[in-house]
Amino acid sequence: MEKNIYKENFEKIAERFFFIAEQTGQLIFDGDAITGKIEWSGAIEEFTGYTQEEFSNFDLEACKELIHPEEQERVWNALEKSLKTGEKFGQKFRFKRKDGSYIYVEDNSIFLKDENNRIYRGIGLFKNVTENKHTREKLEVSEEQLKMNKEQIVKYLQNFRGIGFQLDKNFDLEFLHGATEEITGYRSEEFLSGKIKLFQLVRPEEKSHFFENRIKLKTTSKSLVEQEYRIRKRDGSIVWLFESIQVVKNINQEKRLYQGFIQDITERKISMETIEQTEKLRKKEIHHRIKNNLQIISSLLDLECDKLLSGTLTHKKVTEAFQESHNRIISMSIIHEELYNSKDMETINFASYLKKLTNDLFNSYKVGNSDISLHLYVDDFFFEMDIAIPLGIIINELVSNSLKYAFPDGMNGEICIKLHQEVNEKNKVSISKIADNDMQNNSCCHRVFSLIVEDNGIGFPDSIDFKNTSSLGLQLVNTLVDQIGGDIELKKVSGTKFEIVFMDYRK
């Protein structure tokens, strides 16, 4: 029973941790599908314009009013469908901020079901996908302005790397100028004569959308339509175009014309697709590592439970087990927090991480009336997760042991952590381990580090072999030191001193 309670608590912690780690700094929500109550977190004020207190009052029904009126029906129908079927929800729409302005957002949600297969909860995030507005000339002109000298238009378009055009009420071309041949492969005269029409070049799968936007300008109140589509040039190559068309009427609102411009955005689209693909691969790798780390925590909890159940259960033992497991989870969660705050989201500043970790440990262990001080001597080294996580758990275990056992009966003392890069690597790591790691890593170089965790307490018991002990914490330390290809040595001088030498390979 104790084991089940323990696992249940862990599952709650792990579930929150996973979704927090997964979010990308936008707006996270956790909603009750039955009551409609929603819990919000993330960059609330930056995203919505509301304070956290104000936005906490927005439930499911209130959120409907934040969707642009033109898109409410589409989004709400899709949401109701997902709430019935349990399918993932993904929609893009305009989101109304407190000041009345709109931003484009992407809403991705998943739904959880209970044992009766009923949806009871929805979790997801809003991501701001508002792109920089395309530079365009918004001409609101009268009949007289439409008759402006074409030479002036041509002069304006000479420095414009695109195509400017004007269409009559039937969308027939009246005027065309710019980099027409450069973008399409066809000369302006071929379009103006009617020999070639733009829609003939549009890719078949995008033609219906192309014509729909033309119809919107003619039959709805829309005065501006923007769209992206692909065309096949004369030489057979495919290019992406951005098109902006505006409705122009005379003073009496009688005659309707259309004018706009076209730009080649192929390079931008290719760059965006490359970035998106890279981002997907990067997130996939990070999420894979998060999953592995959660599995590590799960295994540690199983071991802790087995250890508790194999002996006599006492309140003190259970409390200590929970505290130790809590600290291990925190040590990993702080790493992920640092990772998402880092510039490249690949490495973390280990000095910054250690400050947070040790501060949390000292707050966690209230060692009687002891006055125990901590000294950190760590430069700004950056490690990837494969090194940072094992190293973080190792330090967590060694510092925890010092706090629990080194200073009994209110004894005062010091704990010191030093991390530095070895300038002279000779005799610091066994030759066999270096050879093994060199074979496994096709790296051009590596750095050798020395980590020291020491205290001036009562010293490590002579009766205990730290490399062959029943202590789960010390077993973890030895296993993780091997994992990072390092050596560990215990020195019993004026307290307890652990020295670990390891290598960080750069790919």
Side-chain angles (χ1 to χ4, degrees):
M1 181 176 178
E2 290 285 344
K3 186 173 181 179
N4 290 336
I5 293 173
Y6 194 72
K7 280 182 172 286
E8 182 179 347
N9 278 281
F10 165 71
E11 286 171 358
K12 291 179 180 178
I13 295 172
E15 181 182 14
R16 291 178 182 176
F17 170 66
F18 179 82
F19 284 104
I20 289 172
E22 195 173 42
Q23 59 92 14
T24 57
Q26 297 293 331
L27 196 60
I28 307 168
F29 59 88
D30 186 343
D32 188 320
I34 299 174
T35 64
K37 177 65 177 176
I38 301 175
E39 293 182 6
W40 303 92
S41 60
I44 293 174
E45 190 163 353
E46 177 186 348
F47 197 101
T48 69
Y50 293 94
T51 65
Q52 186 167 359
E53 182 179 357
E54 291 172 333
F55 205 66
S56 65
N57 297 319
F58 280 79
D59 58 10
L60 185 62
E61 192 60 31
C63 286
K64 187 174 183 179
E65 301 304 315
L66 298 177
I67 303 172
H68 194 283
E70 294 178 3
E71 298 166 330
Q72 275 186 14
E73 183 177 355
R74 167 178 62 81
V75 176
W76 217 249
N77 286 342
L79 177 60
E80 289 177 345
K81 180 182 177 183
S82 292
L83 285 170
K84 289 179 181 179
T85 63
E87 296 176 352
K88 290 182 180 179
F89 176 82
Q91 289 286 322
K92 291 182 180 179
F93 54 90
R94 283 169 287 178
F95 178 96
K96 186 177 182 181
R97 303 179 78 251
K98 183 178 180 180
D99 61 7
S101 64
Y102 283 90
I103 59 175
Y104 282 91
V105 302
E106 182 177 2
D107 178 358
N108 289 295
S109 313
I110 61 171
F111 300 93
L112 307 181
K113 296 182 179 180
D114 59 21
E115 60 274 14
N116 297 318
N117 203 36
R118 292 178 301 186
I119 294 173
Y120 71 95
R121 187 178 176 193
I123 304 172
L125 63 87
F126 283 98
K127 182 178 181 182
N128 188 341
V129 295
T130 307
E131 297 182 354
N132 293 331
K133 293 182 179 179
H134 298 283
T135 305
R136 60 181 180 272
E137 291 292 324
K138 294 185 177 180
L139 304 174
E140 296 179 2
V141 296
S142 64
E143 181 78 359
E144 291 75 18
Q145 289 174 311
L146 289 174
K147 295 178 181 178
M148 67 190 304
N149 194 303
K150 286 189 178 182
E151 290 183 1
Q152 291 179 311
I153 300 176
V154 171
K155 186 177 180 180
Y156 166 75
L157 291 173
Q158 282 177 344
N159 297 320
F160 175 62
R161 302 306 301 167
I163 303 171
F165 62 87
Q166 183 171 295
L167 309 173
D168 65 16
K169 62 180 181 180
N170 297 315
F171 293 102
D172 290 327
L173 195 61
E174 286 190 340
F175 172 75
L176 182 69
H177 188 82
T180 308
E181 189 168 2
E182 179 184 340
I183 291 175
T184 70
Y186 296 91
R187 293 177 291 106
S188 297
E189 292 78 7
E190 293 179 275
F191 285 101
L192 290 168
S193 66
K195 181 179 178 180
I196 295 293
K197 295 185 179 295
L198 182 61
F199 73 84
Q200 295 174 326
L201 308 181
V202 177
R203 298 289 293 157
E205 59 268 31
E206 294 165 3
K207 277 188 179 180
S208 60
H209 187 63
F210 177 87
F211 286 118
E212 284 174 9
N213 282 319
R214 292 284 197 272
I215 294 172
K216 283 181 184 178
L217 284 170
K218 194 169 187 177
T219 60
T220 69
S221 59
K222 284 184 173 292
S223 60
L224 177 70
V225 167
E226 297 177 339
Q227 63 176 330
E228 295 177 358
Y229 54 84
R230 292 170 296 173
I231 67 166
R232 183 181 294 277
K233 294 178 63 173
R234 171 169 262 161
D235 62 8
S237 61
I238 304 297
V239 296
W240 274 97
L241 302 183
F242 169 77
E243 178 187 78
S244 177
I245 305 181
Q246 184 178 8
V247 177
V248 182
K249 296 180 180 179
N250 65 3
I251 296 176
N252 298 322
Q253 299 293 304
E254 295 173 353
K255 189 175 182 181
R256 179 188 290 252
L257 297 173
Y258 308 95
Q259 62 185 20
F261 64 87
I262 290 172
Q263 287 179 302
D264 185 342
I265 59 169
T266 305
E267 289 186 6
R268 191 189 73 179
K269 292 292 286 189
I270 292 174
S271 297
M272 288 177 62
E273 289 173 1
T274 302
I275 292 171
E276 288 175 2
Q277 186 64 26
T278 302
E279 181 72 5
K280 286 180 181 178
L281 292 173
R282 185 188 59 78
K283 286 184 177 180
K284 183 177 180 181
E285 174 64 19
I286 290 177
H287 293 164
H288 176 69
R289 290 181 177 183
I290 290 172
K291 180 181 177 181
N292 289 343
N293 294 334
L294 290 174
Q295 288 174 341
I296 291 172
I297 292 177
S298 179
S299 298
L300 292 176
L301 291 174
D302 285 337
L303 290 172
E304 197 72 72
C305 285
D306 291 340
K307 183 180 177 183
L308 284 173
L309 295 175
S310 64
T312 303
L313 284 176
T314 65
H315 182 271
K316 182 179 179 182
K317 285 184 177 180
V318 173
T319 301
E320 288 179 351
F322 266 94
Q323 186 178 47
E324 290 172 358
S325 297
H326 167 80
N327 290 336
R328 288 165 188 152
I329 293 171
I330 290 299
S331 72
M332 297 178 73
S333 67
I334 294 175
I335 281 182
H336 286 288
E337 179 185 351
E338 288 293 305
L339 184 68
Y340 278 104
N341 290 331
S342 69
K343 294 180 179 180
D344 58 7
M345 293 190 73
E346 296 290 342
T347 60
I348 69 165
N349 185 321
F350 203 73
S352 173
Y353 163 71
L354 268 188
K355 290 177 184 177
K356 293 183 180 180
L357 174 63
T358 51
N359 182 65
D360 189 86
L361 282 172
F362 269 68
N363 290 332
S364 176
Y365 288 99
K366 306 297 182 182
V367 192
N369 297 319
S370 300
D371 183 10
I372 303 173
S373 59
L374 173 71
H375 302 284
L376 290 177
Y377 301 97
V378 183
D379 293 331
D380 288 335
F381 295 122
F382 287 80
F383 294 128
E384 294 181 350
M385 288 177 66
D386 291 341
I387 289 291
I389 288 176
L391 208 58
I393 297 176
I394 289 170
I395 294 172
N396 176 81
E397 300 301 324
L398 295 179
V399 173
S400 295
N401 278 346
S402 292
L403 289 171
K404 288 191 296 181
Y405 305 120
F407 309 101
D409 303 323
M411 177 180 173
N412 298 334
E414 297 178 351
I415 297 175
C416 180
I417 302 175
K418 301 176 183 177
L419 178 64
H420 63 272
Q421 185 175 351
E422 291 292 343
V423 178
N424 180 9
E425 301 173 3
K426 185 178 180 181
N427 297 326
K428 286 298 179 180
V429 182
S430 65
I431 295 175
S432 61
K433 285 194 173 182
I434 290 180
D436 289 342
N437 281 317
D438 282 337
M439 291 177 66
Q440 295 171 12
N441 297 274
N442 295 322
S443 307
C444 62
C445 59
H446 65 267
R447 301 179 296 172
V448 176
F449 290 90
S450 174
L451 168 68
I452 296 174
V453 180
E454 61 181 324
D455 63 64
N456 62 352
I458 61 174
F460 197 88
D462 292 329
S463 59
I464 297 178
D465 179 2
F466 82 95
K467 289 192 175 183
N468 184 21
T469 175
S470 60
S471 166
L472 178 59
L474 289 176
Q475 289 175 17
L476 265 176
V477 169
N478 285 293
T479 299
L480 293 174
V481 168
D482 285 338
Q483 181 179 314
I484 62 176
D487 280 342
I488 181 169
E489 183 180 356
L490 170 61
K491 298 180 180 179
K492 301 176 182 179
V493 287
S494 301
T496 301
K497 178 179 180 180
F498 284 97
E499 183 171 4
I500 300 165
V501 180
F502 64 95
M503 290 173 291
D504 176 29
Y505 279 83
R506 292 292 179 178
K507 296 180 179 179

